Amino acid sequence: DLLCVSHDLSSIMNEFAELYCLKEGSVGPPSHYLGADIAKTHTATGVLCWAMGSHSDFTNAIRIVNGYIQDSGREFRKSGCPFHTVNYHPELDDSPLLEPQEIARYQELIGILHWGCELGRLDILHQVAIISTFLAAPRQGHLDEVYHIFSYLEMAGSRCLLFDPSVPECDVVFPDTTGLEKFYEVDGEPIPDDMPLPRGIPVLMSCFADAS
């Protein structure tokens, strides 16, 4: 894959097209990056911003996990909580330890959930962090909770992060805001017609960082 960042993309891509055979329809705005779905959209206030989500990544993972659940002959209730109950304490779980094959599956699914958190699923961040502490010796109850998290993801639907470039209203006093305002100036570039739409419920994020 080739990721090109420039104010004049056409001339650069045309030059590449003269040197290499590019797949038809492959040149356009980015739709995926490092496993994440990315797109441009507008916030509720009309500010143009980038959006990042994990719809594609989790869609395939949920399908695989549903196959695991079906093979086990069990059924997990889809609820509004990643764990089967808000009072679940994995450190008190005394269910049988998993066999080596199931441990490998547990570790694989935890890795998928970790990457999903990196891609913006902040709603499962706490649960994944807790259940990840049992990678060395997971129990059947821990694996069941991982299945519950995937069932929750299927029920809850997609989410996406909106990276708002606007300077937030805060009490930080800057010596000279001229450069700051220019750096955070909103780009008036229109969204390309072939740019994919972000999928999922938007969660607004700010790109602003106070380094003082």
Side-chain angles (χ1 to χ4, degrees):
D1 294 342
L2 175 64
L3 180 63
C4 182
V5 181
S6 173
H7 65 286
D8 185 15
L9 297 175
S10 299
S11 60
I12 298 176
M13 297 309 299
N14 290 337
E15 187 174 347
F16 271 103
E18 294 176 359
L19 298 174
Y20 307 99
C21 180
L22 301 181
K23 185 186 298 185
E24 184 178 356
S26 62
V27 178
S31 58
H32 294 85
Y33 183 67
L34 296 179
D37 301 320
I38 58 175
K40 271 190 173 182
T41 185
H42 289 93
T43 66
T45 57
V47 177
L48 181 66
C49 67
W50 282 100
M52 180 181 73
S54 56
H55 175 83
S56 300
D57 185 65
F58 271 136
T59 297
N60 185 53
I62 290 172
R63 178 182 58 81
I64 294 175
V65 171
N66 283 339
Y68 291 156
I69 296 175
Q70 186 175 5
D71 292 341
S72 69
R74 305 178 63 187
E75 184 176 350
F76 292 88
R77 177 176 56 88
K78 295 179 174 61
S79 66
C81 176
F83 285 161
H84 79 280
T85 173
V86 294
N87 296 321
Y88 176 69
H89 294 279
E91 69 277 9
L92 302 179
D93 196 311
D94 59 353
S95 58
L97 292 169
L98 296 178
E99 296 295 330
Q101 183 178 0
E102 292 177 315
I103 292 177
R105 175 183 298 180
Y106 180 86
Q107 294 171 341
E108 175 190 2
L109 296 180
I110 288 294
I112 295 174
L113 292 174
H114 266 296
W115 189 239
C117 292
E118 292 285 343
L119 300 183
R121 288 311 297 250
L122 306 181
D123 51 332
I124 61 171
L125 184 59
H126 177 66
Q127 289 79 8
V128 173
I130 293 176
I131 208 71
S132 298
T133 60
F134 302 93
L135 288 173
R139 297 179 178 273
Q140 182 62 52
H142 299 147
L143 180 59
D144 290 346
E145 293 306 320
V146 169
Y147 288 157
H148 271 289
I149 293 176
F150 278 97
S151 296
Y152 162 79
L153 290 171
E154 184 178 15
M155 186 279 302
S158 301
R159 299 286 192 275
C160 68
L161 296 181
L162 304 183
F163 296 96
D164 189 350
S166 305
V167 179
E169 296 182 3
C170 58
D171 297 330
V172 179
V173 178
F174 296 97
D176 182 11
T177 60
T178 304
L180 181 69
E181 292 174 356
K182 185 176 182 181
F183 180 81
Y184 284 104
E185 184 178 356
V186 178
D187 186 4
E189 178 187 0
I191 300 177
D193 295 334
D194 52 350
M195 169 67 75
L197 295 175
R199 290 179 284 190
I201 301 173
V203 178
L204 188 62
M205 303 290 290
S206 175
C207 299
F208 177 80
D210 177 16
S212 62

